[in-house]
Amino acid sequence: MSTEGDRTGAPPADRAGDAPRSAKRALVGRLSWGLADQAASSMTNFAVGIYVARSLGVTAFGVFSLAWVTYGVVLNVSRGLATDPLVVRFSGVSDTSWRGAVARSTGTALGVGAALGAACLVVGPGLGGSVGPAFVCLGVVLPGLLLQDAWRFSFFAAGAGRKAFVNDLVWGVALVPAMVVAARVGSVAAFVLAWGASAAVAAAYGCLQSGIRPRPTGARGWLREQRDLGYRYLVENVSLSGASQLRAYGLGAIVGVGAVGAVRGAELLLGPFLAVLMGLSLVTVPEAARVLRQAPHRLGAFCLVLGGGQAAGALLWGGALLLAPDRLGELVLGDVWHSAAALVVPVTIGVAGAGLGTGAAAGLRALGAARRSLRCQLFASACYVGGGLGGAAAAGTVGSAWGVAAATVTGSAVWWLQLRSALREHHRNILPEVRTS
């Protein structure tokens, strides 16, 4: 009787070696689509920031940046409650299980957008000036923005990074005419509306891609089922984005709104890496969870390569920015360039530190060590606010940037210490299971 090896013409030993190679190819493929999606997302965010900066000037760009960081807080509320638990618990599961979870998760994201959008509609008119209309418009577009982000998480949980990439491309294409119209209007509110309306187009397309209709009515059940992770991730995420918002508001109060625009301009110069860091969990947490299931002893090395690569890339990019001529910087950022250029070194160090820390954060998420990651994030956020505002009081905008850089590097060290402890704990827990099996 012929064996399977005889029929295929390959000996069993060779086929046994094919399995690891196939797994590596699959991993490379998923990471490649993740990088492509992040590149598309980065370019979209970068293009929006540059276009708005050049169109509005440093003060109005500061107002737009306040709306942007507020969106960051709301986005992290949605991720903590809706999509972070989805990525941790429904990556690589059956299609039926994934589809049911996605319907409730995206419905939760839509509900968060509607609730917090309504709050912006109430608060906005009382803010006055150009800030008030910007926040009113943010309230209108929040549901579409959060749903689009939820589709990206959902596709990566299923290992379908190509769909997330296409969805971001749709957003980018829709953004072009929207930004042209906003530039003709010439107000911060118009740019906020254009940015959010184009995201809503991509959110609607996500429904077609997945064939799933978000179920806001399932949000209560989803929150109840995922409360052990969701509420800790909520606090963790909001402390991160809330720290950024407090620093922005405090910097505006201490130094002036123009300082907020200068910091945002410097961050835009490192935009490709900063955007990757903001959405890194789209790729890294599902992959870390797969590594943990298939080869738990490799999780630490995987996280180190991930974090070290991000840090090295940020440092190389920052070094290139230091060599850029003023003429090129003015072409990119216009009047914002000169105030942003003075912040390149500390912002680069801060982004490199954050990149190193994301590797450890992905490992803690994959391990489900929500209590440890929460402690890390609360500590890092407190350092971020203290360093940013203390530096601003001591030395203005540049002092704030250096304070944040020091805080980020310190926070990264704490993330890695906690990951090391969590890996040791996980190893001790699985040893008895191995011995008794």
Side-chain angles (χ1 to χ4, degrees):
M1 180 181 292
S2 62
T3 65
E4 181 67 20
D6 295 329
R7 289 196 299 270
T8 60
D14 288 349
R15 292 198 313 277
D18 286 342
R21 286 195 292 270
S22 298
K24 288 180 180 178
R25 283 195 296 268
L27 171 61
V28 170
R30 289 191 297 268
L31 289 176
S32 297
W33 281 117
L35 291 174
D37 174 72
Q38 289 301 333
S41 177
S42 299
M43 290 305 297
T44 299
N45 292 334
F46 185 73
V48 169
I50 295 301
Y51 197 76
V52 175
R54 289 184 58 84
S55 300
L56 298 180
V58 66
T59 301
F61 184 56
V63 175
F64 182 84
S65 298
L66 291 178
W68 185 286
V69 296
T70 302
Y71 156 70
V73 175
V74 176
L75 179 65
N76 280 299
V77 171
S78 175
R79 287 181 176 180
L81 293 177
T83 50
D84 282 345
L86 175 77
V87 168
V88 171
R89 287 184 167 153
F90 294 91
S91 292
V93 299
S94 68
D95 184 67
T96 301
S97 178
W98 175 81
R99 293 179 70 85
V102 167
R104 291 177 294 152
S105 175
T106 53
T108 302
L110 201 56
V112 170
L116 296 182
C120 288
L121 291 174
V122 172
V123 172
L127 297 177
S130 58
V131 177
F135 272 74
V136 169
C137 293
L138 179 64
V140 172
V141 300
L142 273 178
L145 284 164
L146 298 190
L147 181 57
Q148 192 275 337
D149 185 74
W151 286 127
R152 297 174 69 216
F153 272 79
S154 300
F155 293 141
F156 277 107
R162 179 181 61 83
K163 291 185 176 180
F165 171 71
V166 171
N167 193 273
D168 271 325
L169 283 184
V170 169
W171 185 4
V173 171
L175 193 62
V176 174
M179 283 285 140
V180 171
V181 172
R184 291 181 178 177
V185 176
S187 69
V188 177
F191 278 105
V192 173
L193 277 178
W195 167 53
S198 55
V201 172
Y205 182 64
C207 298
L208 296 177
Q209 286 179 290
S210 63
I212 299 172
R213 181 185 301 177
R215 285 175 46 203
T217 55
R220 181 175 297 178
W222 176 262
L223 294 174
R224 183 174 59 252
E225 293 168 13
Q226 311 300 329
R227 63 181 179 272
D228 60 324
L229 294 181
Y231 292 117
R232 283 196 175 101
Y233 289 158
L234 169 65
V235 176
E236 181 180 331
N237 290 355
V238 170
S239 69
L240 170 64
S241 54
S244 177
Q245 190 173 25
L246 286 174
R247 186 255 184 136
Y249 290 161
L251 184 60
I254 295 170
V255 184
V257 176
V260 180
V263 170
R264 178 62 186 153
E267 291 173 347
L268 278 173
L269 294 173
L270 284 110
F273 294 98
L274 208 60
V276 166
L277 292 177
M278 289 175 63
L280 201 59
S281 58
L282 290 172
V283 183
T284 57
V285 175
E287 293 307 324
R290 288 185 177 95
V291 171
L292 180 64
R293 292 189 185 102
Q294 297 168 6
H297 61 285
R298 295 180 180 172
L299 180 60
F302 173 83
C303 294
L304 184 60
V305 170
L306 174 68
Q310 289 290 320
L315 291 174
L316 288 173
W317 185 265
L321 289 175
L322 293 175
L323 300 176
D326 287 341
R327 185 181 305 172
L328 179 60
E330 291 170 358
L331 178 65
V332 174
L333 286 179
D335 294 339
V336 179
W337 163 253
H338 293 288
S339 54
L343 308 179
V344 167
V345 172
V347 170
T348 297
I349 294 173
V351 172
L356 185 61
T358 55
L364 287 175
R365 287 281 175 103
L367 289 165
R371 186 173 299 175
R372 289 184 180 274
S373 62
L374 176 59
R375 286 200 297 264
C376 289
Q377 191 55 68
L378 290 176
F379 175 81
S381 296
C383 289
Y384 183 94
V385 174
L389 297 186
T397 309
V398 174
S400 179
W402 277 110
V404 165
T408 305
V409 172
T410 302
S412 178
V414 173
W415 279 104
W416 278 101
L417 289 172
Q418 286 295 320
L419 177 61
R420 186 177 66 173
S421 298
L423 287 172
R424 288 176 176 173
E425 183 178 307
H426 179 74
H427 182 67
R428 286 196 301 268
N429 290 340
I430 63 174
L431 278 180
E433 298 177 10
V434 173
R435 289 174 181 146
T436 57
S437 61

